[in-house]
Amino acid sequence: MTVNKNVAQREATWKLELAFQEDTTELHSVAYAPDGLCVISSSGSIGGINNAVQVWNAKSGELLVTLKGHYRVVNSAAYSPDGSSIVTASRDRTVRVFDAESGHQRPILELPDYVNSASYSPDGH
């Protein structure tokens, strides 16, 4: 049982690695969901067209959803502690929050300069 589980985990990791390699944009951050079931990756390149966050199934390596809205590089993405939302930071001078399940974008925070990183506090704020 342990051998099969390890092989399945390794195959999923390879699928994610291949997906990241096939993406023609730069990969900026990767984070696991608190429950370990999903992985998010933020990407983009200056002048690129794929400035987005991808949500992947951590077990199978399948792309589940792409969170769109940023028009410049997405520097970071992080899950809330309860896994219900994803916060993103971008060179487009915005911080965006998405519902982790539906991908629905919540109100946008616009800032005077580009944003390198965003995260949640342990209590979810």
Side-chain angles (χ1 to χ4, degrees):
M1 288 283 202
T2 303
V3 172
N4 289 338
K5 182 179 178 185
N6 289 340
V7 168
Q9 288 173 339
R10 191 173 10 186
E11 287 175 358
T13 301
W14 290 336
K15 285 182 186 178
L16 284 171
E17 287 175 1
L18 287 173
F20 293 153
Q21 289 172 5
E22 290 173 6
D23 192 342
T24 59
T25 59
E26 297 172 3
L27 182 63
H28 289 270
S29 73
V30 176
Y32 271 94
D35 62 9
L37 298 177
C38 293
V39 175
I40 53 175
S41 62
S42 68
S43 61
S45 59
I46 296 174
I49 58 171
N50 188 24
N51 299 312
V53 174
Q54 292 80 26
V55 181
W56 308 87
N57 179 304
K59 187 172 184 178
S60 69
E62 286 183 67
L63 177 63
L64 301 175
V65 67
T66 299
L67 306 176
K68 296 182 179 181
H70 289 289
Y71 60 90
R72 296 204 55 202
V73 173
V74 183
N75 291 318
S76 74
Y79 273 98
S80 61
D82 66 2
S84 67
S85 60
I86 297 168
V87 64
T88 62
S90 172
R91 289 185 65 95
D92 66 9
R93 301 178 180 187
T94 65
V95 173
R96 298 170 190 249
V97 178
F98 296 86
D99 181 276
E101 191 171 320
S102 71
H104 175 74
Q105 185 175 226
R106 298 181 185 151
I108 300 167
L109 174 62
E110 295 184 27
L111 299 163
D113 205 350
Y114 63 84
V115 188
N116 285 322
S117 182
S119 64
Y120 284 92
S121 67
D123 66 359
H125 292 96

